[in-house]
Amino acid sequence: MSQAHYTVDGEVAVITLDNPPVNGLGHALRSGIVDGLDKAQADTNIKAIVLIGSPKAYSGGADIREFNTAKATAEPMLRTVIRALDDCVKPVVAAIGGVAMGGGLELALGCHYRVAAPGAQIALPEVNLGILPGAGGTQRLPRVLGVEAALNMIVSGKPVPSEQFKGTALLDELVEGDLLAGALAFARKVVADKLPLKRIRDMKLEYPNAEAFFQFSRNTVAAVAKNLPAPLKCVDAVAAAVSKSFEDGLAFERECFLYLVGTPESKALRHAFFGERTASKIADVPDDTPKRKVEQVAIIGAGTMGSGIAMNFLSAGIPVTLLEMKQEALDKGLATLRKNYEGQLKKGKLTQDKLDMLMTLLKPTLSYDDLKDADLIIEAVFEDIGVKEQVFKKLDEVAKPGAILASNTSTLDLNKIAGFTKRPQDVIGLHFFSPANVMKLLEVVRGAATGKDVLATVMQVAKKIKKTAVVSGVCDGFIGNRMIEQYSRQAMFLLDEGASPQQVDAALEKFGFAMGPFRMSDLAGNDIGWAIRKRRYVEQPNVLYSKVADKLCELGRFGQKTGAGWYRYEPGGRDALPDPVVDELIVNYRKEIGITPRQISSDEIVERCVYALVNEGARILEEGIAQRASDIDMVYLTGYGFPLHRGGPMLYADIVGLYNVVRAAEKFAANPHGDAAFWQPAPLLAKLAAEGKTFN
Ligand SMILES: NC(=O)c1ccc[n+]([C@@H]2O[C@H](COP(=O)([O-])OP(=O)(O)OC[C@H]3O[C@@H](n4cnc5c(N)ncnc54)[C@H](O)[C@@H]3O)[C@@H](O)[C@H]2O)c1
């Protein structure tokens, strides 16, 4: 069935785009538009054409459901459709409501006239996917908006409301009221006044001092774009709109587009874009699984995590009851929460009225009686199985039937926690990351008995509180922390073998991590890892650890909070300063374990730390703890500062080539100090590498 409906209103033909939800420009829709244009041109009674979408969307651009299918590149391609519009001998009026984004805006720019509803969001967001508009956007937008405004939109990818285009050649009329009626009236006026066909391609684009301006833009953009090539290519393409003829400019745009599509950075950004959407899908939990209502939330524990978690729900307009054991702890939690909101107020991200409103949604309490109406209860008390047992037994008594009982535990066995209740089907892990009001990642831990409706419900709730939710099975550390442990283990071994903390941090920061492992550990607190290791020494005595970090902790160097860790910190300062005390500690430890230090290259540092993530990630995937490789990547991109332009550890491994990862692992396995057992390639990694396949 055609997705572009053709109707006639007097002497105007109306082509209505109909490919919900956003009129993605899939093959059927593209074909339908061309058919409609042909029909209108063949009918001598038709004098003008209106191209309109739904009130929600004129068009959101390419149909992402067709990505990587033959349909995406089947003719008529978008460029062909736009050429057909451009060449049409009868005036075509685009009627823009809702959104005109990416290819959707390029489609509108192919029309001879444009009218829009107020508030319609207009954008060329391709840069966010590491590409640039590939259907004339970089050549036409400057012709209607001028070079500077167009460049801003193309480089930032940000939407601009239609009102702001008043008085520019992008918008001929803002239509208050019914958009179709307004567009029809406008089309009739074009016919009656015999207005010429306004083809953007024929508009002259002049810009005095263009070279100086573009050089300045390149410098500014390069400073912000860091590792991403697309923003600079956007500048080049807009510059070509000034320096070249329209056709040559189009050809140059195409060249840049094809180049960018092939870059690893664009692959990474597209992977993250799709990975985010895919992560919300659970193989055996269909989209139509009934959800429970979540209108009231309760949180137990108002410490670091509890107060941050509460903010997520309050900010989403969901009332929260916050429970503590003692008034003092409750007051402290409330003070932290208020301070965080006041910080937002100072930055202008929140108004005083809104803050006051949010605080009315919060009900502090010391009594479990106040939890009886809660639909979702999240426990964030001390990480101690005895304390969790007490809390969950109590919850089993007071929570209403059907309430979802969640734990924010980082390391404890969720199935054991569920077993403290008589309703394990209602128990789930919601592993927020610190600071919980800021970090995007939410690991949703699926227990052996967790109900499908509980899972479906929390995935929906996660969207409401704007988190990227990734499902993890139950295991020590879940996806993220289980992998990071291998990464930090390698980082420590590197110290034993000859590297310094600054060298390891610098190599990984150059790779693109927001912070290297030692600066990170100083920030999070070295005592956290110490506590975990002490447990491991008892529970898993066979796992090898460098003891260098224990020596550091024995000196009370827990990181920023104690003024010293792997680095030293000036009072009140956050700058990590190298410390000879640490160098000496490392030298002494090497002597103690009999290692003669060697020079270690940045490449080895990056490979050992990143491939450690990959090898453990492969095990996690094989065990079914993660549903798919892209879920692991989402965990790392949104929770662990893995460089976005690398697309996550698993995609990075795919791009490097799994064969090369396996070879490196085998080389590391031959190193007597790097844990040979760990470096045996995970069976899944070995298998995929042998078959020439990838994780993603
Ligand atoms: N801090 C992190 O980075 C982080 C990250 C993810 C998950 N977690 C997990 O979140 C949980 C809480 O960690 P945190 O860092 O917020 O700890 P925290 O010590 O800052 O806060 C715990 C709070 O719980 C309260 N509490 C303890 N027992 C209680 C009880 N029986 N009833 C009511 N309140 C009680 C304490 O008074 C304290 O205010 C732990 O399970 C931890 O593993 C922590």
Side-chain angles (χ1 to χ4, degrees), residues 262-392:
T263 57
E265 291 84 356
S266 168
K267 279 195 189 116
L269 293 181
R270 284 177 281 146
H271 176 70
F273 177 83
F274 289 111
E276 164 113 41
R277 277 150 191 78
T278 320
S280 64
K281 306 222 174 300
I282 309 169
D284 61 338
V285 182
D287 287 348
D288 58 1
T289 305
K291 323 263 184 308
R292 300 187 189 180
K293 90 174 164 37
V294 176
E295 289 166 359
Q296 298 254 9
V297 170
I299 294 165
I300 306 184
T304 313
M305 295 307 287
S307 52
I309 296 170
M311 287 178 76
N312 289 302
F313 290 95
L314 296 174
S315 301
I318 301 171
V320 173
T321 305
L322 187 56
L323 182 140
E324 261 289 349
M325 288 185 298
K326 295 206 176 86
Q327 189 63 42
E328 200 188 342
L330 193 55
D331 292 343
K332 196 168 156 227
L334 290 178
T336 313
L337 191 147
R338 185 172 266 285
K339 200 174 114 230
N340 283 337
Y341 273 136
E342 278 165 359
Q344 292 184 13
L345 186 75
K346 278 198 199 109
K347 284 186 195 147
K349 290 183 181 164
L350 195 69
T351 61
Q352 185 66 49
D353 285 356
K354 182 86 194 283
L355 194 158
D356 295 344
M357 193 281 285
L358 293 179
M359 294 310 280
T360 64
L361 295 175
L362 180 65
K363 183 174 177 200
T365 184
L366 297 173
S367 163
Y368 272 88
D369 287 343
D370 290 325
L371 266 49
K372 60 184 188 310
D373 293 329
D375 303 307
L376 165 64
I377 305 178
I378 304 173
E379 163 281 308
V381 302
F382 300 137
E383 186 74 337
D384 177 288
I385 195 73
V387 182
K388 306 277 187 199
E389 177 171 5
Q390 255 178 28
V391 169
F392 274 81

Side-chain angles (χ1 to χ4, degrees), residues 194-486:
K194 297 195 170 54
L195 296 182
L197 297 180
K198 256 181 28 187
R199 293 190 170 102
I200 294 177
R201 70 176 181 210
D202 297 334
M203 289 169 70
K204 283 265 160 307
L205 179 61
E206 274 162 10
Y207 195 73
N209 262 332
E211 252 330 295
F213 170 76
F214 285 116
Q215 201 40 54
F216 169 76
S217 304
R218 280 188 190 97
N219 294 342
T220 319
V221 168
V224 187
K226 297 213 173 85
N227 300 303
L228 297 168
L232 273 177
K233 284 284 176 199
C234 290
V235 180
D236 291 346
V238 174
V242 180
S243 65
K244 295 181 192 292
S245 70
F246 182 77
E247 286 302 329
D248 289 351
L250 268 193
F252 182 73
E253 176 193 84
R254 186 83 204 134
E255 203 180 291
C256 295
F257 177 86
L258 291 174
Y259 164 76
L260 288 173
V261 166
T263 57
E265 291 84 356
S266 168
K267 279 195 189 116
L269 293 181
R270 284 177 281 146
H271 176 70
F273 177 83
F274 289 111
E276 164 113 41
R277 277 150 191 78
T278 320
S280 64
K281 306 222 174 300
I282 309 169
D284 61 338
V285 182
D287 287 348
D288 58 1
T289 305
K291 323 263 184 308
R292 300 187 189 180
K293 90 174 164 37
V294 176
E295 289 166 359
Q296 298 254 9
V297 170
I299 294 165
I300 306 184
T304 313
M305 295 307 287
S307 52
I309 296 170
M311 287 178 76
N312 289 302
F313 290 95
L314 296 174
S315 301
I318 301 171
V320 173
T321 305
L322 187 56
L323 182 140
E324 261 289 349
M325 288 185 298
K326 295 206 176 86
Q327 189 63 42
E328 200 188 342
L330 193 55
D331 292 343
K332 196 168 156 227
L334 290 178
T336 313
L337 191 147
R338 185 172 266 285
K339 200 174 114 230
N340 283 337
Y341 273 136
E342 278 165 359
Q344 292 184 13
L345 186 75
K346 278 198 199 109
K347 284 186 195 147
K349 290 183 181 164
L350 195 69
T351 61
Q352 185 66 49
D353 285 356
K354 182 86 194 283
L355 194 158
D356 295 344
M357 193 281 285
L358 293 179
M359 294 310 280
T360 64
L361 295 175
L362 180 65
K363 183 174 177 200
T365 184
L366 297 173
S367 163
Y368 272 88
D369 287 343
D370 290 325
L371 266 49
K372 60 184 188 310
D373 293 329
D375 303 307
L376 165 64
I377 305 178
I378 304 173
E379 163 281 308
V381 302
F382 300 137
E383 186 74 337
D384 177 288
I385 195 73
V387 182
K388 306 277 187 199
E389 177 171 5
Q390 255 178 28
V391 169
F392 274 81
K393 284 196 164 146
K394 185 76 189 163
L395 285 181
D396 205 13
E397 284 168 27
V398 300
K400 67 180 181 187
I404 297 175
L405 310 180
S407 171
N408 184 43
T409 182
S410 308
T411 54
L412 301 172
D413 181 346
L414 187 82
N415 291 329
K416 210 166 178 182
I417 294 178
F420 297 143
T421 72
K422 289 187 268 326
R423 37 175 132 175
Q425 73 283 358
D426 295 340
V427 178
I428 195 162
L430 289 181
H431 186 215
F432 288 84
F433 286 71
S434 182
N437 55 316
V438 177
M439 296 297 286
K440 285 278 289 173
L441 178 60
L442 175 62
E443 274 181 328
V444 171
V445 185
R446 180 179 191 168
T450 306
K452 290 186 182 178
D453 60 335
V454 170
L455 266 167
T457 307
V458 303
M459 295 310 272
Q460 193 181 48
V461 169
K463 265 189 202 148
K464 263 196 206 141
I465 60 170
K466 302 202 170 77
K467 296 290 174 195
T468 302
V470 175
V471 178
S472 168
V474 176
C475 69
D476 201 337
F478 312 128
I479 299 174
N481 284 344
R482 179 169 152 184
M483 286 166 66
I484 208 74
E485 187 168 347
Q486 299 303 338

Side-chain angles (χ1 to χ4, degrees), residues 90-102:
K90 296 178 182 177
V92 187
V93 180
I96 303 171
V99 295
M101 300 226 180

